[in-house]
Amino acid sequence: MDAIQLKQKAAAKAVTYVKNGMTVGLGTGSTAYWAIQFLGEKVRNGLDIQCIATSKQSEELARSLNIPITNFSNVIKIDLTIDGADETTPNRQLIKGGGAALLREKIVAATTEFYIIIVDEQKLVNQLGKFKIPIEVVPFGYESTLRKIESLGAQAKVRLNNEGSILVTDNHNYIVDADFGLIDDVDTLHKNINEIVGVVENGLFLNMASLVIVAYADGTIKELK
Ligand code: 5RP
């Protein structure tokens, strides 16, 4: 199976968990894209759901498919969210934020009862940290914030967009990508990063995923729960 088919396979499995009447969180990225497409198809066939998106891009996609969109003024809890990840361990610890949407993704995840992550087997790792940790920081003083992140033991860079300018998130912040190497103590690192003034949130998603659906190149699927 090619990369797109793997994303489709994991996404198709995830949407089987979506039931009538649910409030559903919509992830961001090329895997979550397929989950939104399949939900659009189900909505067209009568599925009654309302959704909260984790990025402007996913919200636009959902609206283009006539998926009803709501917001946090109307919603106390999200029943289920489907999102991708950049890395996951077998016990469902994640790195997210490759698509620069980590802050909204974490806010949605933190309000979600059943949080489903969809990945292909290449994202499955025994130890987090090969993928640099995306960290959302406020623009003011970001150079200083970046140096403080580096002082925790990382090599860090502010993320640029395709035109070579600093990438600005949906929340008007910047992303610092921090390479800590393989991480031995994710809980301590998560806490230390978030204690730096100027950091808004980091891409370690710990003890959040209820289920990780992994699609393998041989066409099989594994559910990590
Ligand atoms: C966006 C994310 C994405 O879920 C993550 O980057 C995976 O994306 P893709 O499915 O395109 O590989 O965290 O901020």
PDB file of all heavy atoms in Angstrom, residues 7 27-33 54-55 57 82-87 95-103 105 115 117-120 123 131 134 159 175 203 205, ligand 1:
ATOM      1  N   LYS A   7      -2.917   6.208   4.965  1.00  0.00           N
ATOM      2  CA  LYS A   7      -3.632   7.276   5.678  1.00  0.00           C
ATOM      3  C   LYS A   7      -5.147   7.044   5.563  1.00  0.00           C
ATOM      4  O   LYS A   7      -5.898   7.196   6.529  1.00  0.00           O
ATOM      5  CB  LYS A   7      -3.283   8.646   5.074  1.00  0.00           C
ATOM      6  CG  LYS A   7      -1.853   9.089   5.365  1.00  0.00           C
ATOM      7  CD  LYS A   7      -1.490  10.328   4.553  1.00  0.00           C
ATOM      8  CE  LYS A   7      -0.001  10.433   4.311  1.00  0.00           C
ATOM      9  NZ  LYS A   7       0.722  11.393   5.025  1.00  0.00           N
ATOM     10  N   GLY A  27      -8.999  16.865  13.410  1.00  0.00           N
ATOM     11  CA  GLY A  27      -7.564  17.108  13.464  1.00  0.00           C
ATOM     12  C   GLY A  27      -7.065  17.872  12.250  1.00  0.00           C
ATOM     13  O   GLY A  27      -7.838  18.315  11.393  1.00  0.00           O
ATOM     14  N   THR A  28      -5.732  18.001  12.204  1.00  0.00           N
ATOM     15  CA  THR A  28      -5.082  18.752  11.130  1.00  0.00           C
ATOM     16  C   THR A  28      -3.959  17.903  10.543  1.00  0.00           C
ATOM     17  O   THR A  28      -3.286  17.168  11.271  1.00  0.00           O
ATOM     18  CB  THR A  28      -4.510  20.063  11.705  1.00  0.00           C
ATOM     19  OG1 THR A  28      -5.609  20.863  12.158  1.00  0.00           O
ATOM     20  CG2 THR A  28      -3.717  20.848  10.666  1.00  0.00           C
ATOM     21  N   GLY A  29      -3.772  18.038   9.226  1.00  0.00           N
ATOM     22  CA  GLY A  29      -2.668  17.321   8.575  1.00  0.00           C
ATOM     23  C   GLY A  29      -3.178  16.418   7.475  1.00  0.00           C
ATOM     24  O   GLY A  29      -4.386  16.312   7.235  1.00  0.00           O
ATOM     25  N   SER A  30      -2.233  15.728   6.834  1.00  0.00           N
ATOM     26  CA  SER A  30      -2.581  14.953   5.640  1.00  0.00           C
ATOM     27  C   SER A  30      -3.298  13.644   5.981  1.00  0.00           C
ATOM     28  O   SER A  30      -3.935  13.054   5.098  1.00  0.00           O
ATOM     29  CB  SER A  30      -1.316  14.667   4.828  1.00  0.00           C
ATOM     30  OG  SER A  30      -0.385  13.959   5.617  1.00  0.00           O
ATOM     31  N   THR A  31      -3.200  13.171   7.210  1.00  0.00           N
ATOM     32  CA  THR A  31      -3.945  11.968   7.600  1.00  0.00           C
ATOM     33  C   THR A  31      -5.344  12.360   8.086  1.00  0.00           C
ATOM     34  O   THR A  31      -6.343  11.769   7.662  1.00  0.00           O
ATOM     35  CB  THR A  31      -3.183  11.181   8.699  1.00  0.00           C
ATOM     36  OG1 THR A  31      -1.789  11.169   8.381  1.00  0.00           O
ATOM     37  CG2 THR A  31      -3.684   9.758   8.789  1.00  0.00           C
ATOM     38  N   ALA A  32      -5.391  13.383   8.934  1.00  0.00           N
ATOM     39  CA  ALA A  32      -6.693  13.882   9.415  1.00  0.00           C
ATOM     40  C   ALA A  32      -7.549  14.340   8.226  1.00  0.00           C
ATOM     41  O   ALA A  32      -8.788  14.243   8.263  1.00  0.00           O
ATOM     42  CB  ALA A  32      -6.489  15.018  10.398  1.00  0.00           C
ATOM     43  N   TYR A  33      -6.900  14.825   7.174  1.00  0.00           N
ATOM     44  CA  TYR A  33      -7.608  15.240   5.957  1.00  0.00           C
ATOM     45  C   TYR A  33      -8.584  14.145   5.502  1.00  0.00           C
ATOM     46  O   TYR A  33      -9.737  14.416   5.165  1.00  0.00           O
ATOM     47  CB  TYR A  33      -6.577  15.542   4.860  1.00  0.00           C
ATOM     48  CG  TYR A  33      -7.146  15.696   3.479  1.00  0.00           C
ATOM     49  CD1 TYR A  33      -7.556  16.947   3.017  1.00  0.00           C
ATOM     50  CD2 TYR A  33      -7.281  14.597   2.621  1.00  0.00           C
ATOM     51  CE1 TYR A  33      -8.092  17.090   1.733  1.00  0.00           C
ATOM     52  CE2 TYR A  33      -7.820  14.737   1.349  1.00  0.00           C
ATOM     53  CZ  TYR A  33      -8.219  15.977   0.905  1.00  0.00           C
ATOM     54  OH  TYR A  33      -8.756  16.117  -0.351  1.00  0.00           O
ATOM     55  N   THR A  54      -9.391  21.865  14.534  1.00  0.00           N
ATOM     56  CA  THR A  54      -8.154  22.225  15.227  1.00  0.00           C
ATOM     57  C   THR A  54      -7.301  23.215  14.430  1.00  0.00           C
ATOM     58  O   THR A  54      -6.183  23.536  14.844  1.00  0.00           O
ATOM     59  CB  THR A  54      -7.309  20.961  15.521  1.00  0.00           C
ATOM     60  OG1 THR A  54      -7.103  20.275  14.277  1.00  0.00           O
ATOM     61  CG2 THR A  54      -7.997  20.043  16.504  1.00  0.00           C
ATOM     62  N   SER A  55      -7.816  23.657  13.284  1.00  0.00           N
ATOM     63  CA  SER A  55      -7.083  24.665  12.498  1.00  0.00           C
ATOM     64  C   SER A  55      -8.058  25.318  11.529  1.00  0.00           C
ATOM     65  O   SER A  55      -9.117  24.764  11.222  1.00  0.00           O
ATOM     66  CB  SER A  55      -5.944  24.026  11.699  1.00  0.00           C
ATOM     67  OG  SER A  55      -6.476  23.083  10.779  1.00  0.00           O
ATOM     68  N   GLN A  57      -7.470  25.633   8.453  1.00  0.00           N
ATOM     69  CA  GLN A  57      -7.444  24.792   7.253  1.00  0.00           C
ATOM     70  C   GLN A  57      -8.472  23.649   7.352  1.00  0.00           C
ATOM     71  O   GLN A  57      -9.246  23.413   6.413  1.00  0.00           O
ATOM     72  CB  GLN A  57      -6.036  24.214   7.142  1.00  0.00           C
ATOM     73  CG  GLN A  57      -5.721  23.580   5.830  1.00  0.00           C
ATOM     74  CD  GLN A  57      -4.345  22.903   5.876  1.00  0.00           C
ATOM     75  OE1 GLN A  57      -3.818  22.585   6.953  1.00  0.00           O
ATOM     76  NE2 GLN A  57      -3.772  22.697   4.722  1.00  0.00           N
ATOM     77  N   ILE A  82     -10.524  12.945  16.097  1.00  0.00           N
ATOM     78  CA  ILE A  82      -9.629  12.144  15.239  1.00  0.00           C
ATOM     79  C   ILE A  82      -8.528  13.071  14.734  1.00  0.00           C
ATOM     80  O   ILE A  82      -8.807  14.088  14.094  1.00  0.00           O
ATOM     81  CB  ILE A  82     -10.384  11.538  14.037  1.00  0.00           C
ATOM     82  CG1 ILE A  82     -11.576  10.695  14.498  1.00  0.00           C
ATOM     83  CG2 ILE A  82      -9.420  10.700  13.185  1.00  0.00           C
ATOM     84  CD1 ILE A  82     -12.478  10.213  13.365  1.00  0.00           C
ATOM     85  N   ASP A  83      -7.286  12.703  15.027  1.00  0.00           N
ATOM     86  CA  ASP A  83      -6.162  13.549  14.609  1.00  0.00           C
ATOM     87  C   ASP A  83      -4.976  12.663  14.234  1.00  0.00           C
ATOM     88  O   ASP A  83      -4.945  11.480  14.586  1.00  0.00           O
ATOM     89  CB  ASP A  83      -5.786  14.508  15.761  1.00  0.00           C
ATOM     90  CG  ASP A  83      -5.075  15.766  15.264  1.00  0.00           C
ATOM     91  OD1 ASP A  83      -4.633  15.798  14.101  1.00  0.00           O
ATOM     92  OD2 ASP A  83      -4.954  16.717  16.064  1.00  0.00           O
ATOM     93  N   GLY A  84      -4.016  13.249  13.548  1.00  0.00           N
ATOM     94  CA  GLY A  84      -2.784  12.537  13.216  1.00  0.00           C
ATOM     95  C   GLY A  84      -1.732  12.792  14.282  1.00  0.00           C
ATOM     96  O   GLY A  84      -1.995  13.421  15.307  1.00  0.00           O
ATOM     97  N   ALA A  85      -0.523  12.307  14.032  1.00  0.00           N
ATOM     98  CA  ALA A  85       0.611  12.569  14.936  1.00  0.00           C
ATOM     99  C   ALA A  85       1.902  12.424  14.145  1.00  0.00           C
ATOM    100  O   ALA A  85       1.917  11.811  13.076  1.00  0.00           O
ATOM    101  CB  ALA A  85       0.602  11.600  16.106  1.00  0.00           C
ATOM    102  N   ASP A  86       2.952  12.997  14.690  1.00  0.00           N
ATOM    103  CA  ASP A  86       4.269  12.886  14.049  1.00  0.00           C
ATOM    104  C   ASP A  86       5.040  11.694  14.579  1.00  0.00           C
ATOM    105  O   ASP A  86       5.830  11.097  13.854  1.00  0.00           O
ATOM    106  CB  ASP A  86       5.038  14.191  14.251  1.00  0.00           C
ATOM    107  CG  ASP A  86       4.277  15.355  13.652  1.00  0.00           C
ATOM    108  OD1 ASP A  86       4.084  15.338  12.428  1.00  0.00           O
ATOM    109  OD2 ASP A  86       3.822  16.232  14.397  1.00  0.00           O
ATOM    110  N   GLU A  87       4.839  11.378  15.838  1.00  0.00           N
ATOM    111  CA  GLU A  87       5.402  10.157  16.427  1.00  0.00           C
ATOM    112  C   GLU A  87       4.429   9.646  17.481  1.00  0.00           C
ATOM    113  O   GLU A  87       3.768  10.444  18.155  1.00  0.00           O
ATOM    114  CB  GLU A  87       6.742  10.444  17.138  1.00  0.00           C
ATOM    115  CG  GLU A  87       7.932  10.551  16.233  1.00  0.00           C
ATOM    116  CD  GLU A  87       9.264  10.668  16.984  1.00  0.00           C
ATOM    117  OE1 GLU A  87       9.291  10.756  18.230  1.00  0.00           O
ATOM    118  OE2 GLU A  87      10.295  10.684  16.294  1.00  0.00           O
ATOM    119  N   ILE A  95       4.249  12.904  19.789  1.00  0.00           N
ATOM    120  CA  ILE A  95       4.711  14.237  19.394  1.00  0.00           C
ATOM    121  C   ILE A  95       3.789  14.696  18.285  1.00  0.00           C
ATOM    122  O   ILE A  95       3.537  13.950  17.322  1.00  0.00           O
ATOM    123  CB  ILE A  95       6.174  14.234  18.895  1.00  0.00           C
ATOM    124  CG1 ILE A  95       7.121  13.907  20.047  1.00  0.00           C
ATOM    125  CG2 ILE A  95       6.539  15.594  18.291  1.00  0.00           C
ATOM    126  CD1 ILE A  95       8.593  13.840  19.646  1.00  0.00           C
ATOM    127  N   LYS A  96       3.287  15.923  18.417  1.00  0.00           N
ATOM    128  CA  LYS A  96       2.421  16.523  17.407  1.00  0.00           C
ATOM    129  C   LYS A  96       2.879  17.958  17.142  1.00  0.00           C
ATOM    130  O   LYS A  96       3.655  18.518  17.887  1.00  0.00           O
ATOM    131  CB  LYS A  96       0.966  16.524  17.879  1.00  0.00           C
ATOM    132  CG  LYS A  96       0.343  15.144  17.836  1.00  0.00           C
ATOM    133  CD  LYS A  96      -1.127  15.128  18.220  1.00  0.00           C
ATOM    134  CE  LYS A  96      -2.002  16.133  17.534  1.00  0.00           C
ATOM    135  NZ  LYS A  96      -1.912  16.138  16.067  1.00  0.00           N
ATOM    136  N   GLY A  97       2.362  18.519  16.055  1.00  0.00           N
ATOM    137  CA  GLY A  97       2.669  19.910  15.759  1.00  0.00           C
ATOM    138  C   GLY A  97       3.455  20.103  14.478  1.00  0.00           C
ATOM    139  O   GLY A  97       3.799  21.226  14.125  1.00  0.00           O
ATOM    140  N   GLY A  98       3.697  18.985  13.761  1.00  0.00           N
ATOM    141  CA  GLY A  98       4.380  19.102  12.473  1.00  0.00           C
ATOM    142  C   GLY A  98       3.643  20.028  11.520  1.00  0.00           C
ATOM    143  O   GLY A  98       4.244  20.677  10.664  1.00  0.00           O
ATOM    144  N   GLY A  99       2.332  20.115  11.689  1.00  0.00           N
ATOM    145  CA  GLY A  99       1.517  20.986  10.843  1.00  0.00           C
ATOM    146  C   GLY A  99       1.228  22.332  11.497  1.00  0.00           C
ATOM    147  O   GLY A  99       0.364  23.081  11.044  1.00  0.00           O
ATOM    148  N   ALA A 100       1.948  22.620  12.594  1.00  0.00           N
ATOM    149  CA  ALA A 100       1.877  23.921  13.283  1.00  0.00           C
ATOM    150  C   ALA A 100       0.536  24.186  13.972  1.00  0.00           C
ATOM    151  O   ALA A 100       0.225  25.325  14.304  1.00  0.00           O
ATOM    152  CB  ALA A 100       2.208  25.065  12.324  1.00  0.00           C
ATOM    153  N   ALA A 101      -0.239  23.117  14.200  1.00  0.00           N
ATOM    154  CA  ALA A 101      -1.572  23.324  14.797  1.00  0.00           C
ATOM    155  C   ALA A 101      -1.631  22.807  16.238  1.00  0.00           C
ATOM    156  O   ALA A 101      -2.711  22.632  16.793  1.00  0.00           O
ATOM    157  CB  ALA A 101      -2.627  22.615  13.941  1.00  0.00           C
ATOM    158  N   LEU A 102      -0.464  22.620  16.865  1.00  0.00           N
ATOM    159  CA  LEU A 102      -0.454  21.891  18.140  1.00  0.00           C
ATOM    160  C   LEU A 102      -1.266  22.548  19.247  1.00  0.00           C
ATOM    161  O   LEU A 102      -1.851  21.858  20.077  1.00  0.00           O
ATOM    162  CB  LEU A 102       0.988  21.662  18.604  1.00  0.00           C
ATOM    163  CG  LEU A 102       1.759  22.881  19.105  1.00  0.00           C
ATOM    164  CD1 LEU A 102       1.775  22.950  20.616  1.00  0.00           C
ATOM    165  CD2 LEU A 102       3.172  22.852  18.582  1.00  0.00           C
ATOM    166  N   LEU A 103      -1.325  23.875  19.274  1.00  0.00           N
ATOM    167  CA  LEU A 103      -2.025  24.526  20.384  1.00  0.00           C
ATOM    168  C   LEU A 103      -3.525  24.227  20.320  1.00  0.00           C
ATOM    169  O   LEU A 103      -4.124  23.768  21.299  1.00  0.00           O
ATOM    170  CB  LEU A 103      -1.770  26.035  20.366  1.00  0.00           C
ATOM    171  CG  LEU A 103      -2.473  26.818  21.462  1.00  0.00           C
ATOM    172  CD1 LEU A 103      -2.116  26.296  22.855  1.00  0.00           C
ATOM    173  CD2 LEU A 103      -2.129  28.311  21.361  1.00  0.00           C
ATOM    174  N   GLU A 105      -4.846  21.868  18.640  1.00  0.00           N
ATOM    175  CA  GLU A 105      -4.998  20.410  18.760  1.00  0.00           C
ATOM    176  C   GLU A 105      -4.995  19.988  20.225  1.00  0.00           C
ATOM    177  O   GLU A 105      -5.777  19.123  20.628  1.00  0.00           O
ATOM    178  CB  GLU A 105      -3.854  19.704  18.012  1.00  0.00           C
ATOM    179  CG  GLU A 105      -3.989  19.835  16.508  1.00  0.00           C
ATOM    180  CD  GLU A 105      -2.800  19.290  15.731  1.00  0.00           C
ATOM    181  OE1 GLU A 105      -1.691  19.236  16.283  1.00  0.00           O
ATOM    182  OE2 GLU A 105      -2.977  18.932  14.556  1.00  0.00           O
ATOM    183  N   TYR A 115     -10.057  10.157  22.399  1.00  0.00           N
ATOM    184  CA  TYR A 115      -9.127  10.848  21.498  1.00  0.00           C
ATOM    185  C   TYR A 115      -8.414   9.804  20.624  1.00  0.00           C
ATOM    186  O   TYR A 115      -7.593   9.028  21.123  1.00  0.00           O
ATOM    187  CB  TYR A 115      -8.144  11.634  22.357  1.00  0.00           C
ATOM    188  CG  TYR A 115      -7.159  12.497  21.625  1.00  0.00           C
ATOM    189  CD1 TYR A 115      -7.509  13.256  20.511  1.00  0.00           C
ATOM    190  CD2 TYR A 115      -5.838  12.582  22.072  1.00  0.00           C
ATOM    191  CE1 TYR A 115      -6.580  14.059  19.870  1.00  0.00           C
ATOM    192  CE2 TYR A 115      -4.911  13.395  21.438  1.00  0.00           C
ATOM    193  CZ  TYR A 115      -5.298  14.124  20.334  1.00  0.00           C
ATOM    194  OH  TYR A 115      -4.378  14.931  19.700  1.00  0.00           O
ATOM    195  N   ILE A 117      -5.956   8.719  17.528  1.00  0.00           N
ATOM    196  CA  ILE A 117      -4.832   9.144  16.694  1.00  0.00           C
ATOM    197  C   ILE A 117      -4.677   8.148  15.552  1.00  0.00           C
ATOM    198  O   ILE A 117      -4.726   6.926  15.773  1.00  0.00           O
ATOM    199  CB  ILE A 117      -3.538   9.207  17.548  1.00  0.00           C
ATOM    200  CG1 ILE A 117      -3.636  10.342  18.564  1.00  0.00           C
ATOM    201  CG2 ILE A 117      -2.298   9.377  16.677  1.00  0.00           C
ATOM    202  CD1 ILE A 117      -3.698  11.743  17.981  1.00  0.00           C
ATOM    203  N   ILE A 118      -4.502   8.688  14.337  1.00  0.00           N
ATOM    204  CA  ILE A 118      -4.350   7.821  13.168  1.00  0.00           C
ATOM    205  C   ILE A 118      -2.982   8.062  12.524  1.00  0.00           C
ATOM    206  O   ILE A 118      -2.616   9.200  12.233  1.00  0.00           O
ATOM    207  CB  ILE A 118      -5.509   8.038  12.153  1.00  0.00           C
ATOM    208  CG1 ILE A 118      -5.754   9.527  11.877  1.00  0.00           C
ATOM    209  CG2 ILE A 118      -6.780   7.381  12.642  1.00  0.00           C
ATOM    210  CD1 ILE A 118      -6.853   9.790  10.850  1.00  0.00           C
ATOM    211  N   VAL A 119      -2.243   6.973  12.332  1.00  0.00           N
ATOM    212  CA  VAL A 119      -0.881   7.068  11.788  1.00  0.00           C
ATOM    213  C   VAL A 119      -0.589   5.865  10.891  1.00  0.00           C
ATOM    214  O   VAL A 119      -1.280   4.843  10.962  1.00  0.00           O
ATOM    215  CB  VAL A 119       0.183   7.077  12.920  1.00  0.00           C
ATOM    216  CG1 VAL A 119       0.134   8.342  13.745  1.00  0.00           C
ATOM    217  CG2 VAL A 119       0.072   5.843  13.803  1.00  0.00           C
ATOM    218  N   ASP A 120       0.472   6.013  10.083  1.00  0.00           N
ATOM    219  CA  ASP A 120       1.002   4.816   9.424  1.00  0.00           C
ATOM    220  C   ASP A 120       2.166   4.300  10.259  1.00  0.00           C
ATOM    221  O   ASP A 120       2.652   4.979  11.169  1.00  0.00           O
ATOM    222  CB  ASP A 120       1.399   5.103   7.974  1.00  0.00           C
ATOM    223  CG  ASP A 120       2.540   6.083   7.882  1.00  0.00           C
ATOM    224  OD1 ASP A 120       3.591   5.827   8.492  1.00  0.00           O
ATOM    225  OD2 ASP A 120       2.378   7.115   7.211  1.00  0.00           O
ATOM    226  N   LYS A 123       5.312   6.139  11.814  1.00  0.00           N
ATOM    227  CA  LYS A 123       5.253   7.091  12.940  1.00  0.00           C
ATOM    228  C   LYS A 123       5.425   6.389  14.286  1.00  0.00           C
ATOM    229  O   LYS A 123       5.492   7.040  15.316  1.00  0.00           O
ATOM    230  CB  LYS A 123       3.891   7.804  12.931  1.00  0.00           C
ATOM    231  CG  LYS A 123       3.508   8.447  11.598  1.00  0.00           C
ATOM    232  CD  LYS A 123       4.030   9.833  11.503  1.00  0.00           C
ATOM    233  CE  LYS A 123       3.570  10.610  10.286  1.00  0.00           C
ATOM    234  NZ  LYS A 123       2.196  11.050  10.309  1.00  0.00           N
ATOM    235  N   PHE A 131      11.736  13.037  15.903  1.00  0.00           N
ATOM    236  CA  PHE A 131      11.036  14.202  15.359  1.00  0.00           C
ATOM    237  C   PHE A 131      11.240  15.362  16.340  1.00  0.00           C
ATOM    238  O   PHE A 131      11.016  15.208  17.543  1.00  0.00           O
ATOM    239  CB  PHE A 131       9.543  13.874  15.202  1.00  0.00           C
ATOM    240  CG  PHE A 131       8.801  14.860  14.358  1.00  0.00           C
ATOM    241  CD1 PHE A 131       8.666  14.676  12.992  1.00  0.00           C
ATOM    242  CD2 PHE A 131       8.247  16.011  14.931  1.00  0.00           C
ATOM    243  CE1 PHE A 131       8.000  15.598  12.203  1.00  0.00           C
ATOM    244  CE2 PHE A 131       7.578  16.941  14.149  1.00  0.00           C
ATOM    245  CZ  PHE A 131       7.452  16.727  12.782  1.00  0.00           C
ATOM    246  N   PRO A 134       7.852  20.428  18.275  1.00  0.00           N
ATOM    247  CA  PRO A 134       7.346  21.759  17.929  1.00  0.00           C
ATOM    248  C   PRO A 134       6.855  22.464  19.200  1.00  0.00           C
ATOM    249  O   PRO A 134       6.184  21.865  20.037  1.00  0.00           O
ATOM    250  CB  PRO A 134       6.165  21.455  16.995  1.00  0.00           C
ATOM    251  CG  PRO A 134       6.343  20.029  16.582  1.00  0.00           C
ATOM    252  CD  PRO A 134       6.989  19.367  17.757  1.00  0.00           C
ATOM    253  N   ARG A 159      10.536  28.101  13.098  1.00  0.00           N
ATOM    254  CA  ARG A 159      10.100  27.501  11.825  1.00  0.00           C
ATOM    255  C   ARG A 159       9.799  28.573  10.780  1.00  0.00           C
ATOM    256  O   ARG A 159       9.181  29.598  11.102  1.00  0.00           O
ATOM    257  CB  ARG A 159       8.852  26.638  12.052  1.00  0.00           C
ATOM    258  CG  ARG A 159       8.544  25.742  10.846  1.00  0.00           C
ATOM    259  CD  ARG A 159       7.312  24.893  11.040  1.00  0.00           C
ATOM    260  NE  ARG A 159       7.432  23.933  12.124  1.00  0.00           N
ATOM    261  CZ  ARG A 159       6.473  23.088  12.475  1.00  0.00           C
ATOM    262  NH1 ARG A 159       5.317  23.098  11.812  1.00  0.00           N
ATOM    263  NH2 ARG A 159       6.641  22.249  13.489  1.00  0.00           N
ATOM    264  N   ILE A 175       6.445  29.044  15.791  1.00  0.00           N
ATOM    265  CA  ILE A 175       6.787  27.675  16.209  1.00  0.00           C
ATOM    266  C   ILE A 175       8.302  27.553  16.278  1.00  0.00           C
ATOM    267  O   ILE A 175       9.007  27.904  15.322  1.00  0.00           O
ATOM    268  CB  ILE A 175       6.260  26.614  15.194  1.00  0.00           C
ATOM    269  CG1 ILE A 175       4.732  26.629  15.077  1.00  0.00           C
ATOM    270  CG2 ILE A 175       6.768  25.210  15.557  1.00  0.00           C
ATOM    271  CD1 ILE A 175       3.974  26.031  16.242  1.00  0.00           C
ATOM    272  N   GLY A 203       4.626  20.331  21.850  1.00  0.00           N
ATOM    273  CA  GLY A 203       4.015  19.252  21.061  1.00  0.00           C
ATOM    274  C   GLY A 203       4.089  17.867  21.668  1.00  0.00           C
ATOM    275  O   GLY A 203       3.777  16.890  20.984  1.00  0.00           O
ATOM    276  N   PHE A 205       2.295  15.282  23.596  1.00  0.00           N
ATOM    277  CA  PHE A 205       0.918  14.986  24.008  1.00  0.00           C
ATOM    278  C   PHE A 205       0.987  13.705  24.845  1.00  0.00           C
ATOM    279  O   PHE A 205       1.049  12.594  24.306  1.00  0.00           O
ATOM    280  CB  PHE A 205       0.023  14.769  22.786  1.00  0.00           C
ATOM    281  CG  PHE A 205      -0.416  16.041  22.090  1.00  0.00           C
ATOM    282  CD1 PHE A 205       0.480  17.038  21.769  1.00  0.00           C
ATOM    283  CD2 PHE A 205      -1.758  16.222  21.742  1.00  0.00           C
ATOM    284  CE1 PHE A 205       0.079  18.200  21.125  1.00  0.00           C
ATOM    285  CE2 PHE A 205      -2.182  17.387  21.100  1.00  0.00           C
ATOM    286  CZ  PHE A 205      -1.257  18.377  20.787  1.00  0.00           C
TER     287      PHE A 205
HETATM  288  C1  5RP B   1      -0.419  19.094  12.930  1.00  0.00           C
HETATM  289  C2  5RP B   1      -0.155  17.749  13.478  1.00  0.00           C
HETATM  290  C3  5RP B   1      -0.389  16.591  12.572  1.00  0.00           C
HETATM  291  O1  5RP B   1      -1.345  15.771  13.127  1.00  0.00           O
HETATM  292  C4  5RP B   1       0.900  15.851  12.400  1.00  0.00           C
HETATM  293  O2  5RP B   1       1.881  16.755  11.932  1.00  0.00           O
HETATM  294  C5  5RP B   1       0.760  14.695  11.430  1.00  0.00           C
HETATM  295  O3  5RP B   1       0.483  15.167  10.160  1.00  0.00           O
HETATM  296  P1  5RP B   1       0.389  14.203   8.903  1.00  0.00           P
HETATM  297  O4  5RP B   1      -0.802  13.345   9.118  1.00  0.00           O
HETATM  298  O5  5RP B   1       0.281  15.135   7.725  1.00  0.00           O
HETATM  299  O6  5RP B   1       1.678  13.411   8.858  1.00  0.00           O
HETATM  300  O7  5RP B   1       0.210  17.555  14.611  1.00  0.00           O
HETATM  301  O8  5RP B   1      -0.030  20.092  13.818  1.00  0.00           O
END
